[in-house]
Amino acid sequence: MPPPNLMPDSWLLDVRALGCGYGSANVVSDVRFALGHGDIGCLLGPSGCGKSTILRALAGFLPISEGEIRLNDQAISVPGFTLPPEQRRIGMVFQDYALFPHLTIAENVGFGLKGLSRDEKRIKTASLLELVHLQDLADKYPHQLSGGQQQRVALARALAPEPTLILLDEPFSNLDADLRRRLSLDVRDILKELGISALLVTHDQQEAFAMCDQVAVLKDGQVQQWDVPYNLYHEPANRFVAGFVGQGAFVPGTASGADTIESELGSLTGKRNRQWRAGTLLDVLIRPDDIVYDPDSDLKPRVVEKTFAGTSTLYRFRLSDDTEFEALFRSHLDFRLGEHVPVRVEADHLIAFQRT
């Protein structure tokens, strides 16, 4: 299921109907996606959905039972054959950094450089440390560095052998939120500057959207949708993707025409992710940014919860037992719990699924 704008001859990584697991049971099945040269992809999903299992299969640590993994149009994993990890030209950056504590930062980065003279190794190592902005820490040891600095060392070490593909296994999960955000963008810039493809594993959708060109949303070992972040948010393939990506709440509605859904929030119109027959019972996804404050509106739900976040406040509104939704307003709009607030829906994209 490659992105629609990606042609087969531009794929670097091609995963075809992949099935693998541990023992006799598959953890993932029929996994399909393709990654282009220089692109950054992501495996996104909740814990236990199979992200790390797929990554282990790509790295060559886990044999596959079904399908095929191709890198640069070469089969590197098929049932009964697994090209050894050291022959795949795939770099790996782990969650726990996996640095050698007894080696200096320069020695850690240069560890995987084989067949070079001492001078060539020193020059290459210095160049990589400069790339990750750690040139002044070459003689330090890992325990003397912060978590973010250690992660940069791990990235430089993975880049040293000039891999075709970098695998990033929850690389920022041990860092605080602000450092995570900054470092993920720095890593993206470095990979883009070098033109190296990468595949990130994470459960953090903000990290995935900020860093990656394409994202695979996984559930129960299967890819639900492989697409660009914009489409995952605005054109989700199914209800799971719609609920997992971004915030939102489903409210009941009924299709009344080609572009209109009737609900307790009024007549909802906008770009549809699919067409429904008139009278079809639907669940409509309402995101916080779909709701705007309108003092002239007759729609006045009650505030049942509020979360102040500095520049904005997230409100949860209740209209009836069946209809609750959230809205994100600038924080100067300060409403009390229990207050009825006039709002209206302003949704450019209408996302709805047939009620089951």
Side-chain angles (χ1 to χ4, degrees), residues 61-168:
F61 301 148
L62 184 68
I64 70 174
S65 56
E66 299 171 358
E68 184 179 22
I69 301 173
R70 300 185 69 84
L71 186 68
N72 269 332
D73 207 30
Q74 176 191 0
I76 58 174
S77 284
V78 294
F81 169 75
T82 304
L83 187 71
E86 64 274 12
Q87 297 180 28
R88 294 189 172 214
R89 291 198 63 197
I90 292 178
M92 189 94 178
V93 178
F94 297 95
Q95 179 179 344
D96 60 359
Y97 318 137
L99 302 178
F100 299 112
H102 62 290
L103 299 182
T104 67
I105 299 311
E107 289 168 341
N108 264 281
V109 172
F111 182 82
L113 293 173
K114 308 297 183 184
L116 299 181
S117 69
R118 180 176 298 180
D119 283 345
E120 289 172 330
K121 193 172 183 179
R122 177 181 55 79
I123 293 171
K124 182 69 177 290
T125 298
S127 174
L128 287 164
L129 286 174
E130 185 173 358
L131 181 69
V132 297
H133 309 297
L134 294 175
Q135 60 269 28
D136 296 332
L137 302 177
D139 296 327
K140 300 291 186 181
Y141 288 86
H143 73 273
Q144 297 176 292
L145 274 58
S146 68
Q149 290 170 331
Q150 290 185 51
Q151 192 58 276
R152 290 175 186 271
V153 176
L155 176 63
R157 186 180 62 183
L159 292 171
E162 299 182 1
T164 300
L165 175 69
I166 291 279
L167 303 178
L168 303 156

Side-chain angles (χ1 to χ4, degrees), residues 243-277:
F244 185 78
V245 172
Q247 290 177 278
F250 286 98
V251 301
T254 303
S256 61
D259 60 355
T260 305
I261 298 174
E262 299 297 334
S263 75
E264 284 191 80
L265 299 178
S267 294
L268 308 177
T269 60
K271 182 180 177 183
R272 302 281 295 280
N273 67 328
R274 63 191 68 192
Q275 298 295 314
W276 300 104
R277 288 184 181 178

Side-chain angles (χ1 to χ4, degrees), residues 220-253:
D220 298 333
Q222 294 189 318
V223 174
Q224 304 298 302
Q225 187 171 353
W226 168 255
D227 217 326
V228 297
Y230 182 90
N231 288 346
L232 291 175
Y233 189 85
H234 290 294
E235 301 290 342
N238 56 39
R239 185 173 177 135
F240 174 80
V241 176
F244 185 78
V245 172
Q247 290 177 278
F250 286 98
V251 301

Side-chain angles (χ1 to χ4, degrees), residues 290-343:
D290 293 333
I291 303 296
V292 297
Y293 172 67
D294 182 355
D296 297 323
S297 175
D298 293 328
L299 180 67
K300 297 179 179 179
R302 179 168 57 90
V303 177
V304 294
E305 186 178 295
K306 61 185 291 188
T307 304
F308 180 72
T311 59
S312 61
T313 302
L314 181 67
Y315 290 92
R316 174 172 286 276
F317 289 110
R318 179 174 296 154
L319 197 58
S320 70
D321 290 341
D322 293 327
T323 303
E324 285 192 4
F325 55 91
E326 293 179 325
L328 191 66
F329 296 154
R330 289 176 294 175
S331 62
H332 75 271
L333 291 172
D334 189 23
F335 304 112
R336 301 181 306 276
L337 289 176
E339 184 174 355
H340 289 267
V341 179
V343 299

